[in-house]
Amino acid sequence: MSQQFRNQLKAYKKKNGMNTPHPKSKKERPAEQFSQQDLEDLMGMHRPTYQRGRGGAIKQK
């Protein structure tokens, strides 16, 4: 955009009350308290693990 057009657009917005809204403030959430078991489940520590066996077969470790 040309500088002149930008100035015209600013003047038009100011004249017609088209101000850009201010960004809304974000509300802070209270920190959640997770137990040790919850954290381990989220990280996937208690899931079965698999590996490739002979001939490309997938086996549970």
Side-chain angles (χ1 to χ4, degrees):
M1 262 196 264
S2 67
Q3 191 68 26
Q4 183 181 7
F5 184 68
R6 283 186 186 169
N7 291 338
Q8 288 176 355
L9 187 60
K10 283 181 187 178
Y12 175 79
K13 285 183 177 182
K14 190 173 185 180
K15 180 182 174 187
N16 293 315
M18 300 174 119
N19 293 336
T20 56
H22 295 287
K24 295 181 181 179
S25 61
K26 294 183 180 181
K27 297 178 183 176
E28 291 188 26
R29 294 184 192 171
E32 290 186 51
Q33 296 296 321
F34 292 109
S35 66
Q36 187 72 24
Q37 184 70 28
D38 289 337
L39 289 174
E40 289 174 357
D41 286 339
L42 286 171
M43 291 189 290
M45 290 181 65
H46 299 292
R47 293 182 185 163
T49 56
Y50 299 94
Q51 71 180 39
R52 291 273 181 187
R54 292 182 57 108
I58 298 175
K59 295 185 174 184
Q60 186 172 353
K61 242 181 167 179

